[in-house]
């Protein structure tokens, strides 16, 4: 299984960006999500979505980030608006076989290589 992220870029504060993640290879999963890690900081969960479409977001991104998925295509997207400098990080797509879809990343099964987002 390979998760491939795309869409990372440099944007100005207040701007928007859309990240996409495509899964190559068949796998069973109940959850897909986005995590991020800024230099010198621990990885944090940003948003998750389960197979039925229920979502969860970190408090810091609620109302600004939106997650969506296409189950048939095994893709997940993260729409980010009103971006802030503190959103700067490497963003990772992840998938998890079992519920619940926690924002803690330590029990997620599959990870992408990451895509860089810089807000200035």
């Amino acid at each position: 299984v390979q998760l491939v992220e795309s869409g990372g870029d440099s944007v100005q504060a207040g701007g928007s960006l859309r990240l996409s993640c495509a899964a190559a290879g068949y796998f069973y999963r109940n959850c897909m999500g986005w995590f991020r890690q800024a230099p010198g900081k621990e990885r944090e969960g940003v948003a998750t979505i389960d197979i039925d479409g229920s979502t969860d977001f970190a408090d810091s991104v609620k109302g600004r980030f939106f997650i969506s998925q296409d189950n048939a295509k095994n893709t997940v997207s993260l729409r980010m608006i009103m971006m802030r400098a503190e959103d700067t990080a490497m963003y990772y797509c992840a998938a998890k076989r079992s519920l619940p879809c926690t924002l803690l990343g330590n029990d997620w099964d599959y990870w992408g290589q990451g895509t860089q987002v810089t807000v200035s």
Side-chain angles (χ1 to χ4, degrees):
V1 176
Q2 187 177 15
L3 301 178
V4 180
E5 302 96 336
S6 61
D9 206 344
S10 296
V11 296
Q12 292 187 338
S16 61
L17 205 59
R18 184 183 185 92
L19 305 181
S20 296
C21 172
Y26 174 80
F27 69 107
Y28 179 79
R29 53 84 179 174
N30 271 295
C31 309
M32 293 198 78
W34 289 93
F35 295 78
R36 67 186 181 186
Q37 187 167 20
K41 295 187 177 181
E42 293 187 354
R43 182 182 61 197
E44 63 171 338
V46 175
T48 67
I49 185 166
D50 72 14
I51 197 74
D52 294 323
S54 295
T55 59
D56 193 16
F57 297 90
D59 288 343
S60 60
V61 305
K62 283 180 179 177
R64 302 189 300 117
F65 288 15
F66 306 92
I67 189 170
S68 60
Q69 67 184 350
D70 183 329
N71 287 335
K73 296 181 179 179
N74 257 343
T75 60
V76 63
S77 297
L78 185 70
R79 175 69 173 162
M80 304 181 288
I81 65 171
M82 297 185 290
M83 298 185 71
R84 304 167 181 168
E86 51 263 40
D87 295 323
T88 295
M90 184 71 79
Y91 283 70
Y92 297 92
C93 172
K96 187 172 182 283
R97 289 190 294 264
S98 60
L99 295 171
C101 307
T102 64
L103 286 170
L104 297 174
N106 55 347
D107 59 349
W108 286 63
D109 301 293
Y110 308 103
W111 292 87
Q113 294 299 307
T115 187
Q116 178 67 39
V117 172
T118 303
V119 186
S120 59

